[in-house]
Amino acid sequence: MLAPGDPAKAVMAAVETVVTTDPEVDADDPALWADPRDPSRAVMFGTDKSDGLYVHNMDGSVRQFLPSGPVNNVDLRIDFPTSAGERVLVAASNDAPDANGVNLYLFDPATLTTADYGFLSTTYEPYGFCMGRRGEAFYLIVTTKAGTVHQMSVADGPGGPVIGAERVLTLGSQLEGCVVNDAADTLYVGEEDVGVWRFDFDPSGPSTATEIARVDRIRIRDDVEGLTIMRDRGAEYLIVSSQGDSTYPVYRIEGDAHVYVGRFAIVDGPVIDGVTSTDGLDAFSGPIGPFPEGAVAFHDDIDSPNPGQQNYKIVDWRDIRTALGL
């Protein structure tokens, strides 16, 4: 059922992922990376909630698979200092029974290979996940079905990752998607049946939440799922997965204000099917692979015409920008 807001503008996917070794990928959340010196060198990480973490080439093919178990949400930050040099730190929440925690990986930009880095065990069941950076400090953020947000620093140590003290924030009900705006030092969290909230990302800052957008069943229909930020031509946009109606409301970030600019949906194209019931999504600002001005990746819960198969679709940001008149 569609929310009765303004009509969602139609866009089509340019790329979709293909896994030939598993007929029932239980996909959820993507994360995009491109080499800033050569953006044609790019990959997309995608979780499989049953089996582990996929690394995809930008044509959708599988580059690597890490059998990490039921990983759910994934995120990354570049330029993570290690004893072997700077790497891309990749991490994903894992809700394996009696083994809750966060899987950490190191991605080598030189070889485009990903290796296990460690595991952070948690006393709570992790659900959503994102990462952030403040100056030289890197952070892991875990959200839970109980409505808590757990923020902790991570650094490289002699024996692997070293985890810092935990900051806990609280909302009223089940959470999942989150995204950190590093430049603004803010954290956005999706409360699935309620809306989108913003926190100060400073670990010593206030713990109060500011409402950004509400599940009104007009522009957003529950559940609120993935959140991501796109930077384009001097503007910043918060993109929300409105899972209940398979649309994506977009808000231009103007300091403390968040101006609604429209919403879009991903429809069937000549070759690639449309997208429904998206969980996670991720935007990459700037050139990546075949997309000269950025791209957005989306989880798709039904990969037609492949019953039982879920996958990820990638949309050229220029198509979204044109559709919304940005």
Side-chain angles (χ1 to χ4, degrees), residues 206-252:
S207 59
T208 52
T210 300
E211 181 181 309
I212 299 303
R214 181 159 287 271
V215 173
D216 56 6
R217 301 196 173 188
I218 296 173
R219 291 174 176 169
I220 301 178
R221 187 176 181 88
D222 46 325
D223 294 344
V224 171
E225 290 288 341
L227 305 173
T228 192
I229 294 172
M230 169 62 78
R231 297 171 178 85
D232 178 52
R233 302 192 294 191
E236 290 184 325
Y237 300 97
L238 176 68
I239 307 173
V240 179
S241 169
S242 173
Q243 189 181 59
D245 64 350
S246 302
T247 67
Y248 310 94
V250 180
Y251 301 82
R252 187 171 58 247

Side-chain angles (χ1 to χ4, degrees), residues 27-322:
D28 192 280
D29 190 44
L32 293 159
W33 173 87
D35 187 338
R37 294 166 296 186
D38 180 3
S40 67
R41 304 177 70 249
V43 300
M44 188 193 74
F45 299 88
T47 59
D48 180 335
K49 291 187 291 187
S50 298
D51 300 321
L53 183 70
Y54 282 95
V55 187
H56 291 277
N57 297 305
M58 290 302 288
D59 63 358
S61 61
V62 175
R63 181 177 191 88
Q64 191 176 352
F65 176 71
L66 295 99
S68 305
V71 290
N72 188 32
N73 281 194
V74 63
D75 203 2
L76 59 83
R77 284 297 182 272
I78 64 172
D79 300 334
F80 181 70
T82 75
S83 58
E86 289 188 340
R87 297 290 186 267
V88 179
L89 178 63
V90 183
S93 56
N94 190 322
D95 62 355
D98 302 318
N100 292 327
V102 177
N103 287 84
L104 293 96
Y105 314 87
L106 292 179
F107 173 76
D108 186 345
T111 62
L112 303 185
T113 56
T114 307
D116 287 307
Y117 180 48
F119 184 78
L120 165 64
S121 180
T122 60
T123 57
Y124 49 85
E125 180 186 355
Y127 198 47
F129 178 80
C130 57
M131 295 177 65
R133 182 172 178 178
R134 303 185 74 246
E136 299 304 310
F138 292 73
Y139 289 87
L140 311 174
I141 302 95
V142 182
T143 66
T144 73
K145 294 178 182 178
T148 56
V149 181
H150 303 259
Q151 174 183 344
M152 62 217 88
S153 64
V154 57
D156 185 55
V162 176
I163 307 301
E166 186 176 75
R167 175 200 191 199
V168 181
L169 305 166
T170 304
L171 288 167
S173 61
Q174 180 165 311
L175 314 176
E176 185 170 4
C178 62
V179 65
V180 177
N181 187 336
D182 293 352
D185 208 22
T186 53
L187 164 66
Y188 295 89
V189 177
E191 187 176 4
E192 290 193 349
D193 295 333
V194 178
V196 180
W197 302 88
R198 186 188 65 197
F199 289 98
D200 188 329
F201 192 55
D202 184 344
S204 61
S207 59
T208 52
T210 300
E211 181 181 309
I212 299 303
R214 181 159 287 271
V215 173
D216 56 6
R217 301 196 173 188
I218 296 173
R219 291 174 176 169
I220 301 178
R221 187 176 181 88
D222 46 325
D223 294 344
V224 171
E225 290 288 341
L227 305 173
T228 192
I229 294 172
M230 169 62 78
R231 297 171 178 85
D232 178 52
R233 302 192 294 191
E236 290 184 325
Y237 300 97
L238 176 68
I239 307 173
V240 179
S241 169
S242 173
Q243 189 181 59
D245 64 350
S246 302
T247 67
Y248 310 94
V250 180
Y251 301 82
R252 187 171 58 247
I253 303 171
E254 299 180 356
D256 289 337
H258 294 71
V259 180
Y260 175 74
V261 296
R263 58 189 186 140
F264 63 93
I266 304 166
V267 301
D268 290 346
V271 178
I272 300 174
D273 60 304
V275 175
T276 53
S277 299
T278 291
D279 278 312
L281 70 168
D282 188 50
F284 190 91
S285 307
I288 177 170
F291 306 103
E293 297 184 45
V296 190
F298 303 82
H299 157 257
D300 179 18
D301 78 325
I302 300 175
D303 178 33
S304 177
N306 301 304
Q309 184 74 297
Q310 302 186 20
N311 71 350
Y312 299 96
K313 308 295 201 283
I314 303 177
V315 178
D316 191 320
W317 168 248
R318 294 175 298 180
D319 293 340
I320 298 171
R321 185 174 66 199
T322 299

